[in-house]
Amino acid sequence: MTTSSQKMAVFVFCLGIISGCTNEQPVESTKTEVQPGQTAETVPSNSPTQQIAEPIPELNKAEIIEAHVRAVGGSEAIRKIKSIIRVSEVISRSAAGEATGTTTEVLDLARERGRVDTDLGEFKQAKGWVGQQGWRVSTLEPLRASTFDEVGLDNIVVPISIVQAISGDFGTEAFRSIEKVQFNGKPCFKLTIVGDPLMVYLDASTKLIEGLELEEFMVIYLGDYKEVEGVQMPHYSKTDITVLQTSFVSKVQQVNFNREITDDQLAKPAK
């Protein structure tokens, strides 16, 4: 029998993976590798991507990344965002059942710190970080330090654009390759990052981020983009956790930029 604690444990695992943000549902598809000039033969796969069956010209990384940054709102507008306070409705579904509630994110981008609080009524969780150091506590476990990997996962979708953040810090050389693929039923550009397993998918039409993927682990679908103070921000996300056969949906209810964030708002609990 599945206990309430077991169900919450699954939910907490998912919640630790993403935060923040198509009302379109993802579609199942297939994947196969395609070389330029070859025809694709699709085979069953759990991946949401599929190589496009057409000759693939040399893709200019700099041009595609620049087009993405412009679509989001431009580097200047993005750099103006120093903090984000966001409240979202969250739903987790798995074989263990369904859990619903809210998350409140307080993100100080300028000082690379933040805190995320989850309230599900009988269950609560809080986690925070400064740089690569973090902590977490919940109804199911006492206060402890976050691992390096946990802090990295907590920060996957914290920037306005992870592509702009990486290219701004390390240049386009930080991206190993760009391929033309199908993702979530749409033509997309897949960006791979040097030394990192994360894959980023840009909608080929809008140039906005359609999703993120850690192969054989999880896929995040982003959508319902809305302009907030000059930048496009996703207000919907759906995460599929492959290893747990669990989905996690988040819908932003309220978001504010550049509000003052105090140390008290980000403080670690005493215990």
Side-chain angles (χ1 to χ4, degrees):
M1 178 180 295
T2 301
T3 67
S4 175
S5 293
Q6 287 173 326
K7 181 169 72 175
M8 289 302 176
V10 172
F11 179 81
V12 172
F13 182 85
C14 298
L15 202 59
I17 292 174
I18 72 161
S19 59
C21 343
T22 130
N23 290 320
E24 304 170 20
Q25 296 302 312
V27 297
E28 295 185 0
S29 62
T30 56
K31 178 182 180 180
T32 186
E33 295 299 325
V34 177
Q35 299 299 322
Q38 291 184 341
T39 301
E41 295 180 3
T42 58
V43 295
S45 169
N46 292 326
S47 172
T49 63
Q50 177 183 341
Q51 298 296 120
I52 291 179
E54 64 180 29
I56 302 176
E58 183 69 23
L59 299 176
N60 187 308
K61 288 190 295 183
E63 289 180 359
I64 292 172
I65 291 170
E66 183 180 351
H68 162 71
V69 173
R70 287 198 305 269
V72 174
S75 294
E76 184 177 350
I78 295 171
R79 285 195 293 267
K80 289 180 180 178
I81 308 304
K82 304 300 184 182
S83 70
I84 303 173
I85 299 177
R86 181 167 50 202
V87 179
S88 302
E89 173 189 280
V90 293
I91 304 173
S92 175
R93 296 185 179 94
S94 70
E98 181 176 297
T100 62
T102 61
T103 60
T104 301
E105 302 165 87
V106 181
L107 311 173
D108 186 344
L109 306 183
R111 300 175 65 181
E112 297 184 357
R113 59 181 188 160
R115 174 169 173 156
V116 179
D117 287 83
T118 301
D119 188 346
L120 300 175
E122 66 181 37
F123 170 82
K124 292 178 173 57
Q125 183 203 50
K127 59 185 178 182
W129 63 88
V130 178
Q132 294 300 317
Q133 303 295 317
W135 55 267
R136 57 190 63 219
V137 63
S138 76
T139 305
L140 300 179
E141 65 175 352
L143 179 67
R144 66 171 176 84
S146 299
T147 67
F148 179 83
D149 288 340
E150 284 174 332
V151 175
L153 289 169
D154 290 343
N155 280 277
I156 282 182
V157 292
V158 166
I160 298 297
S161 164
I162 193 169
V163 174
Q164 186 273 340
I166 292 173
S167 63
D169 286 344
F170 305 105
T172 59
E173 295 79 10
F175 296 93
R176 183 170 61 247
S177 65
I178 294 184
E179 303 172 69
K180 196 173 183 182
V181 302
Q182 287 281 338
F183 176 85
N184 197 24
K186 297 179 179 180
C188 289
F189 296 114
K190 181 176 79 171
L191 284 68
T192 55
I193 304 166
V194 174
D196 196 302
L198 183 68
M199 294 175 281
V200 183
Y201 297 91
L202 304 181
D203 185 309
S205 176
T206 67
K207 304 302 187 296
L208 297 173
I209 296 178
E210 182 72 16
L212 307 162
E213 181 179 12
L214 289 171
E215 196 166 22
E216 298 183 356
F217 181 59
M218 75 170 183
V219 183
I220 303 175
Y221 305 88
L222 301 178
D224 191 19
Y225 279 85
K226 298 177 182 178
E227 184 177 327
V228 182
E229 296 190 26
V231 300
Q232 294 289 331
M233 171 170 282
H235 282 57
Y236 175 96
S237 72
K238 181 176 185 290
T239 299
D240 288 334
I241 314 297
T242 309
V243 293
L244 292 180
Q245 297 183 332
T246 297
S247 66
F248 181 86
V249 173
S250 175
K251 297 181 180 180
V252 175
Q253 303 299 307
Q254 181 180 347
V255 61
N256 293 292
F257 290 162
N258 296 328
R259 296 289 178 88
E260 181 181 1
I261 294 178
T262 66
D263 291 342
D264 289 343
Q265 288 175 283
L266 305 176
K268 179 169 65 175
K271 62 178 180 178

